Amino acid sequence: MKRTPLYEQHIALGAKMVPFAGWEMPVSYGSIIDEHTTVRTAAGLFDIEHMGLIDIAGKDALALIQKVSTNDAAKLGPFQCEYSILCNEKGGVIDDILVYRLNNGYRIVANASNTDKVLAWLKEQAKPFKAVAIEHNHKLGMISLQGPSSERIAAELTGLFLGGLKKNHCLPWGEIQISRTGYTGGDGFEFFVGHEKVVDLWKKMLGMGVLACGLGARDTLRLEAGLPLYGHEYDDETTPLDVGYGWTVKFDKGDFIGKEALLKEKQKGVKKKLVGLRFEDKVIPRHGCKLFNDQGHEIGVVTSGTFSPTLKEPIALGFVPAETLNTLLVEIRGKKFPVSVGPKSFLKNPL
Amino acid sequence: MKISEELKYTSEHEWAKIDGKAATVGITDYAQDQLGDVVFVELPEVGQMLKQKDEFGVVESVKSVSSLYAPLSGKVTAVNEKLKDNPSIINKDPYGEGWIIKLELPGLEEATHLLSADQYLKALGL
């Protein structure tokens, strides 16, 4: 089991550690609900050192990225990033990623659970190009400061003016890159930082009153914002269009892997869609719970479910046929409960 | 981790406080810590007859869901109504305010086979 450079910090803070994608990670330092609420109202700090960092270098770096990902990386200015998707030939998702354009090349941030697969895929696809995919050998990692107070805290910490740093833009702070990105549906900053400096940076931010938050809150935060997670909403047979992420697929940018299949799906119309599911009952639908229509036919499945600390209600995401409009039933432990279908995000004012 | 010498335990992390032919039942401090924030508790009906090891309810936390098993056979005489609106009392006070059900026991034979505090700690490997 791999450990991040912050492992000792987590233990000292009394974190409950769990195995996650081959890493020993903190799920919570006490209460997931407290951590979640702090990120929605102030600021929290996450160890995301387990995320995969892969640099793409060489003359054809951009051409390779354009070939393997659905979004248009040619539009990225220096120190910008975009959300994008690596698809297979069938349009199924290999991973959802961030693509950064840095000063001398590109960097991909991959899901921890997919890093090895993504690296192998990129190396294979790089063969016809003058480009290489290099994993960061775990010398560089990320920590993530998230919440409405994060701009004030990051500015105080760095002495930089961050009010002008737009979402999906980066700013260098010495050797550290600060990126206005996150996975909570709210404001936040992710720090690319060398392993020799990360413990110091982590301690400094906690010393400024930021709460350490674990993977449990990371999951409830992303789910409340309706953000898909690989292995739940994405897999190699689900396309970006199924998830409602057509905006990440730029058909006009030239050829890319999966284009033909995705174009066909777009022309025919998607068969399924990802929706937000809302409940009256005090019971939580979890990954794999079946969805039924009012005639009792099984028509869909829950992909993620949890308790929303903001709404104080159960929430879930699930796939249903594209034409589904309103009320369904969900089966939980053999009993059926009514569920209403709505938008993916459960936050009333999109952040 | 808190543990009370005067309670009896099961390896499924329930506790029982036996007082004559009545028993109060809850989950242990270890169990609530493992679950994390409890958000819903599914309770049985008052009057329901339970056999030892019957599933009588469910505790849902943010991350997971766990079944509750009757540590003893008996008739449910009360359920903790406070848990319906304030399930987090299980986290705050698992052996007190966070009790789950009360049972009327047909006899005391079964209770002699429950774990003592020491035996429960050993079962946890602590």
Side-chain angles (χ1 to χ4, degrees):
Chain A
M1 197 78 73
K2 290 179 276 189
R3 290 175 176 179
T4 78
L6 294 164
Y7 176 83
E8 282 81 17
Q9 308 301 313
H10 303 320
I11 299 299
L13 289 167
K16 191 178 297 163
M17 305 299 285
V18 292
F20 180 82
W23 294 81
E24 213 174 332
M25 297 298 291
V27 67
S28 165
Y29 302 83
S31 158
I32 292 174
I33 292 176
D34 288 350
E35 289 164 26
H36 179 112
T37 307
T38 303
V39 172
R40 287 279 180 249
T41 55
L45 188 60
F46 297 84
D47 178 359
I48 54 167
E49 291 275 330
H50 59 310
M51 304 284 290
L53 302 185
I54 298 166
D55 280 359
I56 309 292
K59 195 162 73 75
D60 291 342
L62 177 60
L64 171 61
I65 288 168
Q66 292 291 67
K67 177 78 194 292
V68 297
S69 65
T70 57
N71 211 335
D72 189 358
K75 292 200 174 125
L76 288 175
F79 296 101
Q80 284 183 20
C81 70
E82 66 181 11
Y83 181 80
S84 192
I85 296 180
L86 301 175
C87 283
N88 58 33
E89 290 290 353
K90 290 180 189 161
V93 177
I94 294 171
D95 199 13
D96 63 325
I97 56 172
L98 282 179
V99 178
Y100 282 84
R101 181 178 165 196
L102 300 173
N103 42 353
N104 49 6
Y106 291 85
R107 177 175 297 156
I108 285 172
V109 181
N111 278 300
S113 53
N114 288 334
T115 307
D116 293 344
K117 179 179 76 173
V118 168
L119 188 66
W121 174 255
L122 291 174
K123 283 187 169 164
E124 180 62 30
Q125 297 307 321
K127 282 179 182 166
F129 292 93
K130 289 197 170 71
V132 285
I134 313 150
E135 197 186 8
H136 248 286
N137 282 334
H138 309 300
K139 283 179 190 146
L140 184 79
M142 292 170 96
I143 56 175
S144 178
L145 174 68
Q146 298 289 311
S149 308
S150 54
E151 183 187 310
R152 179 183 58 74
I153 289 157
E156 223 172 280
L157 173 78
T158 60
L160 298 169
F161 171 67
L162 294 169
L165 185 65
K166 290 187 203 151
K167 193 173 161 53
N168 291 345
H169 282 63
C170 298
L171 196 63
W173 174 44
E175 285 168 22
I176 296 168
Q177 301 283 346
I178 304 174
S179 165
R180 194 158 207 160
T181 44
Y183 190 45
T184 62
D187 193 17
F189 298 84
E190 294 176 313
F191 294 72
F192 288 97
V193 52
H195 279 187
E196 72 290 351
K197 286 191 177 155
V198 68
V199 172
D200 187 47
L201 186 62
W202 171 269
K203 281 183 173 171
K204 262 191 197 147
M205 286 199 252
L206 295 192
M208 295 168 78
V210 178
L211 186 71
C213 299
L215 293 182
R218 190 166 159 83
D219 191 50
T220 53
L221 287 158
R222 71 93 193 168
L223 193 41
E224 252 183 24
L227 301 172
L229 172 63
Y230 199 91
H232 288 258
E233 287 71 39
Y234 285 131
D235 59 45
D236 59 10
E237 293 188 359
T238 301
T239 73
L241 305 182
D242 299 334
V243 173
Y245 270 29
W247 62 272
T248 66
V249 183
K250 302 288 157 55
F251 288 110
D252 56 2
K253 73 162 185 172
D255 190 34
F256 59 91
I257 298 171
K259 181 177 180 178
E260 209 178 310
L262 291 169
L263 204 53
K264 213 176 270 175
E265 188 187 6
K266 192 186 175 188
Q267 284 157 355
K268 279 191 184 165
V270 290
K271 289 203 182 87
K272 61 178 181 177
K273 63 177 178 185
L274 186 68
V275 292
L277 302 168
R278 289 150 177 85
F279 304 84
E280 296 290 322
D281 293 280
K282 293 190 166 189
V283 61
I284 300 176
R286 312 269 179 181
H287 179 86
C289 285
K290 292 170 181 170
L291 295 164
F292 297 83
N293 64 11
D294 51 7
Q295 274 104 52
H297 298 300
E298 187 183 331
I299 57 156
V301 65
V302 172
T303 51
S304 296
T306 192
F307 175 81
S308 158
T310 304
L311 304 176
K312 300 186 172 54
E313 288 169 10
I315 55 170
L317 295 174
F319 280 114
V320 295
E323 66 279 7
T324 308
L325 289 175
N326 37 35
T327 311
L328 301 173
L329 295 166
V330 61
E331 188 176 274
I332 303 170
R333 295 186 288 279
K335 278 186 243 169
K336 291 199 176 80
F337 300 88
V339 37
S340 58
V341 171
K344 287 195 287 283
S345 174
F346 297 92
L347 301 171
K348 291 213 173 68
N349 305 305
L351 296 163
Chain B
M1 192 194 80
K2 283 177 286 181
I3 190 147
S4 172
E5 292 293 334
E6 64 193 67
L7 304 178
K8 295 286 192 178
Y9 298 87
T10 70
S11 51
E12 281 82 37
H13 314 291
E14 282 87 18
W15 57 262
K17 183 181 180 184
I18 297 154
D19 183 9
K21 283 202 160 184
T24 307
V25 172
I27 63 167
T28 66
D29 191 40
Y30 176 84
Q32 72 75 22
D33 183 63
Q34 288 295 309
L35 284 165
D37 299 313
V38 174
V39 292
F40 300 126
V41 186
E42 214 176 285
L43 299 164
E45 300 288 330
V46 171
Q48 198 175 324
M49 296 300 295
L50 298 175
K51 277 204 233 87
Q52 193 177 33
K53 295 187 179 169
D54 274 357
E55 184 181 328
F56 71 83
V58 163
V59 179
E60 295 227 42
S61 69
V62 176
K63 280 304 275 183
S64 65
V65 53
S66 294
S67 296
L68 295 165
Y69 298 99
L72 297 162
S73 304
K75 185 170 136 188
V76 178
T77 57
V79 300
N80 189 350
E81 296 288 340
K82 281 189 196 163
L83 295 176
K84 289 182 181 168
D85 291 323
N86 193 8
S88 64
I89 54 179
I90 289 188
N91 295 113
K92 288 177 197 128
D93 190 7
Y95 300 121
E97 289 283 296
W99 65 274
I100 299 172
I101 57 169
K102 290 185 197 284
L103 292 173
E104 185 186 296
L105 310 178
L108 294 173
E109 215 302 292
E110 283 175 354
T112 59
H113 301 295
L114 293 177
L115 305 177
S116 68
D118 276 354
Q119 287 168 324
Y120 176 61
L121 286 174
K122 274 202 193 100
L124 290 176
L126 297 170

